[in-house]
Amino acid sequence: MAQGMALKYGGAAHPRLAAAVGVLALGLLYYFSQVTDQLRIRILVLNLAMVLLLLLLLLAVMAVYRQRRPVHGLERLLRASYLVFVANSVLRPAIVAVFLWEGPLPELSSSPLWLLMLALNLLLSLWFIAVLQAVSVREMFVILKHERDRDSLTQLLNRRAFFEQAPARMRQLGGQWALVVCDVDHFKHINDNLGHGMGDEVLKLVAQVLVHHVRQDDLVVRFVGEEFVLMLRCTDLEGAVAVVQRMREQLALESLRLLPQPLTASFGVVMCDAMASLQMLLQHADALLYEAKRAGRNRVVSSLVALSHPPRHRPWCRAEPSGAVVAVYGAKVAVAQVQ
C-alpha cells in the first residue's frame, strides 16, 4: 500500500528494505513460535516490525504530501484514508504495549480490546481498498475521455470534442467570438519531399504556435489533416485578426528550425455570437479560407457575419487591387485587409 501510494505521487517507499524487514520479522516469529514458544517475544517482534514498516510508510506519506492539494474530492478522500491507516498503525503497537502486555497472554485471542483492534484494522483496510478502486476507476475514465477527445499527434481537441464543447463554451461565457479556420500551405509538398515524419513535426509545431497565442477560454482544434479550427473570445474583428496575424508571423519564424524555407498558412476568420450555428460559421470561414488560397496563400481573410443569423448562402468575395478582400453578405459589407 505504501509503495503504491508513493509511486502514484512520484515518490518511493523503499520496497526492498520493507521486504527485508518483513522477511526478518517472519523468521523471528517462526522461531519464537515453533522453536521456542514465547508469546511475549512474538508480540514484541511483531510490533517492532510494524514500527520499522511504519517508518517506511511515513516516507511514502511525505512523498504524497509533497504534491499540491488535489482538486477532486476522491483524491482528498484517498489521502485522508491513507493518513487514518497510518495513524492506526502508530496507535496499534502503543495500545498493545500499554494495555495487553500484562495479564494472561494465552487468553489474548479472547480479549475484547484485541478483537476490536483486529476488526478496526480489517475495516480500515477494506475502506482504503474501496476508495483506491474508486480513484482508479475515475482515473481510467478520465484517460479514456482524454483519448477520445484529443488528437494523438498534437494533443489538441479533435473534431468530435469541438462540436461537443464549443456550443457549451459559447453559451456559458456569452459575448462575441471569432471562428478561425487555418490550413497549412503546401502541406502535401512537405510530406512528399521531406517525409511523413517531418509532416508530423510540422503539425506539432503549428499546434504549439496556435496554443501559444490563445487564452484559457479559447479553443484550439485539429479539425482534419492539416486544417485547424480556433474559437477566440474577443470583442471585435480587428482584435481577432491581430491575434491571427501574430500566429501567422510566428509560424513562419519558428518553422525555420525544421524547414529550409518558412512555413506559411492561410486563415479565414468570421465573427459570431453565442447563438450562432457552428456548421454555418464553418461554411463562412471555409469560404474565406479558400479565398485566401486563391489570392496567393499566406494571408488572413476575415469578415463580419450577421450575429445569430448567418446567411443561407456562401459569401461572395473578391480581391481588390489594394490588397483588401470585400465579403458581401446581403446588405452587409465588410472589408478585411490582407497582410
Side-chain angles (χ1 to χ4, degrees):
M1 293 172 65
Q3 177 67 358
M5 287 292 291
L7 290 177
K8 177 178 173 60
Y9 294 102
H14 304 284
R16 293 182 180 178
L17 183 57
V21 172
V23 169
L24 178 62
L26 289 174
L28 291 175
L29 290 175
Y30 176 82
Y31 179 82
F32 289 108
S33 62
Q34 301 298 322
V35 179
T36 302
D37 188 7
Q38 298 187 36
L39 183 57
R40 291 183 186 275
I41 298 182
R42 288 207 307 272
I43 294 177
L44 179 62
V45 168
L46 177 62
N47 286 280
L48 286 176
M50 291 182 65
V51 170
L52 290 176
L53 291 175
L54 177 60
L55 296 177
L56 302 177
L57 285 172
L58 291 177
L59 291 177
V61 170
M62 291 173 61
V64 170
Y65 281 90
R66 278 197 298 265
Q67 305 296 320
R68 64 183 180 88
R69 186 177 180 86
V71 176
H72 197 269
L74 276 177
E75 288 285 346
R76 291 195 293 270
L77 182 60
L78 178 64
R79 293 189 180 190
S81 301
Y82 188 71
L83 275 183
V84 171
F85 186 84
V86 171
N88 177 68
S89 300
V90 174
L91 293 175
R92 191 166 181 260
I95 293 175
V96 170
V98 173
F99 296 101
L100 298 178
W101 187 252
E102 300 295 337
L105 291 181
E107 300 179 4
L108 184 64
S109 60
S110 62
S111 168
L113 180 59
W114 180 257
L115 295 177
L116 178 62
M117 292 170 57
L118 292 179
L120 180 61
N121 193 63
L122 178 61
L123 290 175
L124 287 177
S125 300
L126 291 175
W127 169 257
F128 184 81
I129 291 172
V131 175
L132 186 60
Q133 286 181 334
V135 172
S136 300
V137 169
R138 176 185 173 273
E139 290 179 346
M140 180 184 66
F141 279 106
V142 169
I143 292 173
L144 290 176
K145 187 178 187 306
H146 182 273
E147 292 179 350
R148 189 196 73 150
D149 292 346
R150 296 283 172 174
D151 171 59
S152 59
L153 178 65
T154 62
Q155 295 304 307
L156 297 178
L157 292 175
N158 56 28
R159 183 188 183 106
R160 176 208 297 267
F162 170 72
F163 284 110
E164 288 180 354
Q165 297 186 23
R169 182 76 58 88
M170 294 169 68
R171 286 194 300 269
Q172 179 182 4
L173 299 177
Q176 296 187 30
W177 295 75
L179 186 143
V180 182
V181 177
C182 166
D183 188 86
V184 180
D185 295 332
H186 304 296
F187 184 72
K188 186 177 185 301
H189 176 80
I190 296 175
N191 274 336
D192 293 342
N193 291 274
L194 301 178
H196 289 277
M198 181 57 68
D200 289 344
E201 293 301 318
V202 166
L203 292 176
K204 289 192 285 187
L205 175 63
V206 174
Q208 293 171 5
V209 171
L210 298 181
V211 170
H212 178 73
H213 287 88
V214 300
R215 295 175 297 182
Q216 183 177 0
D217 294 334
D218 301 332
L219 294 178
V220 183
V221 182
R222 185 186 175 190
F223 206 63
V224 59
E226 68 273 20
E227 185 174 305
F228 298 82
V229 172
L230 300 90
M231 292 294 300
L232 306 179
R233 194 179 184 206
C234 53
T235 57
D236 52 49
L237 180 63
E238 289 75 15
V241 171
V243 172
V244 176
Q245 290 288 12
R246 289 195 294 269
M247 293 177 180
R248 185 183 64 82
E249 294 168 0
Q250 184 179 354
L251 182 60
L253 292 176
E254 294 289 338
S255 62
L256 293 176
R257 296 188 287 106
L258 298 175
L259 303 172
Q261 295 180 345
L263 179 69
T264 64
S266 302
F267 296 83
V269 184
V270 293
M271 289 295 295
C272 60
D273 65 8
M275 301 303 293
S277 167
L278 281 182
Q279 292 288 358
M280 193 64 69
L281 288 171
L282 285 171
Q283 292 182 18
H284 288 314
D286 278 339
L288 297 174
L289 172 66
Y290 292 135
E291 180 60 31
K293 294 283 189 181
R294 286 192 293 268
R297 296 182 171 86
N298 190 26
R299 62 195 63 221
V300 177
V301 180
S302 60
S303 175
L304 292 170
V305 297
L307 299 182
S308 306
H309 301 286
R312 295 183 179 180
H313 306 287
R314 284 191 172 185
W316 171 77
C317 301
R318 59 186 174 88
E320 293 292 325
S322 62
V325 172
V326 178
V328 180
Y329 297 94
K332 291 185 177 291
V333 180
V335 179
Q337 183 69 31
V338 178
Q339 302 295 328

